[in-house]
Every structure is written in C-alpha cells, then in structure tokens.
Amino acid sequence: MATLVILLGLAALVFTITVADHSPLQDFCVADPSNKVIVNGQACKDPKTVQASDFFFSGLHLPGNTSNPVGSKVTPVTVAQLPGLNTLGISLARVDYVPWGINPPHTHPRATEILTVVEGTLEVGFITSNPDNRLITKVLNKGDVFVFPVGLIHFQRNVGKMNAVAIAALSSQNPGVITIANAVFGSKPDVAGDILAKAFQVDAGIIKQIQSKF
Ligand SMILES: *[C@@H]1O[C@H](CO)[C@@H](O)[C@H](O)[C@H]1NC(C)=O
C-alpha cells in the first residue's frame, strides 16, 4: 500500500513536470530540418557546424498583414522560424490588430503565454476549465502585461482607435495553436452536423452555415 502511494505520488510529480517542454541535455540542439529522424522535437545539427544565424530571426519590426476577416495577424517565432529554439522550451510572437480586430478564442496545448502591449489598447481574456468556465478579462494599455495559463482558451480584441501591437512569449519551442472556431467548424472532414447541433444546442442548419465559413 505504501509503495502504491509512493508510485502514485511519483506519477503525479512526473506528470506535473512534463506539462512544459523537456529540459535540454546539452548546451543547445539546433533543429536540423534535413534530418528525417522522427523524435520528440527535432533532431540536432552537428554542434560544430552551428552558426550565429541558427540563433537569430529578423522581422518582428514588420507589421503582419491584418487584411483578413478577424483583423489580426500573428507573426510567430517558434522553432520553425528559429532553429536554435529546439529543446529550449520558449518562443515569441508579434500580434498586430486593426481597430476592433480580434485574435479569436484559441488555446496553446503546450504553452503558457505572457503578453505585453507595445502599441494601443487591448481587451484580453481567458476562460477557466469546467465546471466554472469563469471569464477573467481586463483592458490593457501600452506596457501592461497579462498571462494566459497553459491550455486555457483566450483571446484579445483591439478596443483602441489605432492599430495595436503586442509581443507574446510562450513556454514552448512549439506551443501549438487550436483556434476554437476553425477546429470545431472547419475540421477536415467535417464533424457530423448533428453532433455540433446537439453540442451547441442549435438547429442543424445553423451548424451548416457556420461550417460553410470555415
Ligand atoms: C494582405 O493580405 C490580403 C488578403 O490575403 C492580400 O490581398 C494583400 O495583397 C496582402 N497585402 C500585402 C501587403 O501583402
């Protein structure tokens, strides 16, 4: 019995630790996209061939193209753009918003996000897990910082009169993004309409209409 309790305790501890990216086992492991070995993360380049350019990204001074239905654009700097991030458990993004533009409700399955407003005014929020589903929301001005805990659904909206810009840091080299509307209504193939009709408690025709937009 005591052994079982200890094992369960250890399992809980391991689970807690593995919520974030694993710790590096060497100084760095620059991602080598040409390596076809399937590993958790990406295979390392030979450290002797690594250059400063492997740890470098340029472009976050450039606004993203916000000409889209939601009026915002995320410019990510994850391991896909900056190979030196491999195994380091961290990444960055710039988000641009037109007035009333939104970064629609989404979650990062592998990362907590900390966001700061560089320009403008954002209304931000996240929603806690079931059963409370409490909305925690705030208006942020330039220089303000807000954190979105790992896995929780969150969003931003530009409530100012000018374009807004935010910089977000994320606790994974590859945070992942699940945009709720796109995932639920735009999956390939579609989730059966009657499943969504029952889930959202609306007529199947409304589901068809939403699905047609994604
Ligand atoms: C921005 O995106 C829109 C819609 O995709 C496109 O038509 C337009 O050419 C893009 N603008 C720039 C400057 O790339």
Side-chain angles (χ1 to χ4, degrees), residues 40-115:
N40 187 23
Q42 295 193 36
C44 311
K45 254 184 155 175
D46 178 347
K48 289 195 253 340
T49 69
V50 159
Q51 304 294 332
S53 58
D54 291 314
F55 301 93
F56 175 79
F57 172 92
S58 178
L60 277 200
H61 59 302
L62 300 171
N65 183 348
T66 50
S67 300
N68 57 57
V70 293
S72 80
K73 183 70 180 180
V74 177
T75 306
V77 189
T78 69
V79 69
Q81 292 79 29
L82 204 171
L85 286 178
N86 195 36
T87 75
L88 297 183
I90 196 165
S91 58
L92 202 66
R94 168 181 173 139
V95 194
D96 288 275
Y97 317 77
V98 296
W100 298 104
I102 62 161
N103 186 6
H106 63 279
T107 118
H108 304 292
R110 291 176 290 276
T112 288
E113 171 174 344
I114 183 166
L115 174 144

